[in-house]
């Protein structure tokens, strides 16, 4: 674990940071705590800042125990090609996706259901695939730079929140004000906690964080020490150079193309940061602000189809992985698993605005698909696209 340490004993701080990261890994790997952690359990802002900077593999072999171990025991993994683009081939994508469950030797197939060519590998270690419940686990961004096992959607959790709030504005014909959005985001975090979902995710990258820090003239862009530093950061938070998430930056730069009002997206990002920057706000511990490293170099786009037999479990995928001794990166989108989070967002929003959940969900799905295609067209142009299907063992 490489964590940036500022001040104090380096050895002592590294030990403390490692402990915080271990705690987060255990929480993610074992599911969700019944109750939110008490203030005594939570890390200090300094500890969380250092720990969250380090990438983490949120994964334990056989994440589901007991009935889930049998329910999600895999038979094979299929990688189906969606286009004619060349590059990262299906055999290597199969090795990439099936690294932990042992995907076996690839066999050429043609999926009878959708007539897509591809490869299939028989799983060797049936209960070692990484699964987590999609109705309680957070969604990371589809960003290919992440080197931990994740469920992905463009923009992660905050991208989905922007999508949901935008759908409400369109269907209800209202404009949500900044102060209203600040309160609603905090209410949403509390609502999700009650649903057994303790974390809300947003990310950036080291390059954007450094430029943001320099522009605001602060020592640490993720942990302002004074009200003046916090104000300086928030005033500069929406500059494109300070947004490390490509999907969020695309929305802010081309809001009309993404069907999102600029002020709405800006207010939601700022509302997240307002809570994250406030050490006195107990909801801060429920926000994950992950910092990725390096430049994006997508080699393929992977659409993950979660097996119905494992619901609500969804297979996690590591976007950046070593295959045959070389590092490879793929953008990962869990297009079926994300439906759980979208339904939770409609459950929160619809009673507030007297809207029907089906109408909001339909708008989110239509807009979400078009926005996903826009983001991948920008970040993965000319790269091959695949569907990953995890075939479970079927018991009579």
């Amino acid at each position: 674990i490489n964590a940036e340490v500022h001040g104090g004993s380096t050895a002592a701080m590294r030990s403390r940071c490692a402990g915080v990261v271990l705690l987060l890994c255990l929480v993610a790997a074992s599911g969700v705590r019944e109750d939110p952690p008490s203030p005594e359990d939570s890390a200090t802002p300094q500890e969380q800042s250092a720990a969250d900077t380090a990438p983490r593999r949120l994964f334990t072999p056989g994440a589901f125990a007991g009935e889930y171990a049998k329910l999600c025991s895999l038979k094979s993994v299929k990688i189906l090609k969606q286009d004619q683009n060349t590059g990262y081939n299906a055999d290597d994508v199969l090795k990439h996706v099936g690294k932990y469950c042992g995907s076996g030797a690839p066999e050429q197939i043609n999926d009878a259901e959708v007539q897509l060519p591809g490869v299939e590998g028989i799983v060797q270690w049936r209960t070692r695939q990484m699964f987590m419940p999609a109705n309680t686990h957070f969604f990371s961004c589809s960003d290919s730079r992440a080197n931990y096992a994740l469920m992905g959607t463009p923009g992660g959790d905050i991208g989905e929140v922007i999508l949901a709030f935008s759908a409400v504005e369109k269907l209800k014909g209202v404009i949500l004000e900044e102060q209203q959005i600040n309160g609603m985001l905090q209410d949403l975090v509390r609502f999700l906690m009650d649903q057994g979902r303790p974390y809300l995710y947003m990310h950036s990258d080291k390059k954007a964080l450094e430029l943001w820090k320099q522009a605001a003239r602060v020592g640490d862009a993720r942990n302002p020490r004074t009200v003046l530093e916090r104000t300086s950061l928030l005033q500069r938070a929406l500059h494109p150079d300070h947004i490390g998430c490509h999907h969020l930056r695309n929305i802010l730069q081309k809001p009309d193309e993404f069907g999102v009002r600029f002020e709405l997206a800006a207010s939601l990002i700022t509302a997240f940061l307002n809570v994250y920057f406030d050490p006195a706000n107990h909801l801060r511990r429920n926000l994950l602000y992950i910092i990725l490293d390096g430049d994006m170099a997508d080699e393929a786009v992977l659409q993950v189809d979660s097996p119905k037999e494992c619901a609500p479990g969804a297979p996690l995928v590591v976007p950046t992985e070593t295959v045959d001794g070389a590092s490879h990166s793929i953008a990962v989108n869990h297009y079926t698993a994300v439906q759980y989070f979208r339904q939770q967002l409609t459950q929160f929003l619809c009673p507030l605005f007297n809207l029907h959940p089906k109408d909001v969900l339909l708008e989110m799905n239509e807009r979400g698909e078009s926005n996903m295609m826009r983001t991948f067209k920008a970040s993965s142009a000319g790269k091959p696209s695949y569907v990953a299907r995890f075939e479970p063992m079927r018991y009579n």
Side-chain angles (χ1 to χ4, degrees), residues 135-318:
N135 57 344
T136 56
H137 196 274
F138 63 90
F139 277 84
S140 297
C141 185
S142 300
D143 197 310
S144 63
R145 294 172 292 179
N147 64 351
Y148 59 92
L150 55 75
M151 275 183 263
T153 189
D157 284 341
I158 198 68
E160 292 294 324
V161 173
I162 292 172
L163 188 65
F165 279 53
S166 181
V168 167
E169 284 197 340
K170 178 180 177 180
L171 293 173
K172 197 64 178 178
V174 298
I175 293 179
L176 301 176
E177 300 296 335
E178 182 177 3
Q179 186 174 0
Q180 183 182 11
I181 291 170
N182 282 332
M184 288 177 64
L185 184 69
Q186 295 189 53
D187 288 341
L188 173 61
V189 174
R190 297 186 186 96
F191 171 82
L192 294 174
M193 289 170 60
D194 291 339
Q195 298 288 310
R197 194 180 193 278
Y199 298 116
L200 192 73
Y201 166 105
M202 187 169 76
H203 91 277
S204 187
D205 62 27
K206 286 188 176 181
K207 181 179 179 180
L209 201 69
E210 180 63 24
L211 292 173
W212 190 20
K213 182 186 79 171
Q214 293 176 5
R217 297 183 178 181
V218 300
D220 184 354
R222 299 177 73 238
N223 187 30
R225 300 178 181 179
T226 66
V227 174
L228 289 177
E229 285 192 353
R230 176 180 174 180
T231 302
S232 181
L233 284 167
L234 290 173
Q235 289 174 344
R236 297 162 175 83
L238 301 176
H239 190 284
D241 290 344
H242 306 159
I243 302 289
C245 173
H246 287 229
H247 183 70
L248 296 183
R249 184 163 67 240
N250 288 339
I251 289 176
L252 293 176
Q253 291 183 313
K254 304 173 183 178
D256 292 339
E257 289 186 19
F258 283 81
V260 176
R261 190 169 56 87
F262 172 86
E263 292 80 7
L264 173 65
S267 294
L268 281 166
I269 294 171
T270 304
F272 183 102
L273 293 172
N274 261 317
V275 175
Y276 190 81
F277 285 160
D278 184 1
N281 191 325
H282 71 281
L283 295 177
R284 184 187 194 275
R285 65 190 176 209
N286 301 101
L287 302 185
L288 294 178
Y289 189 31
I290 304 300
I291 306 303
L292 303 180
D293 194 13
D295 297 322
M296 289 186 68
D298 296 2
E299 297 178 65
V301 173
L302 186 72
Q303 304 283 357
V304 180
D305 186 4
S306 302
K308 295 179 181 179
E309 292 84 349
C310 299
L316 275 61
V317 175
V318 182

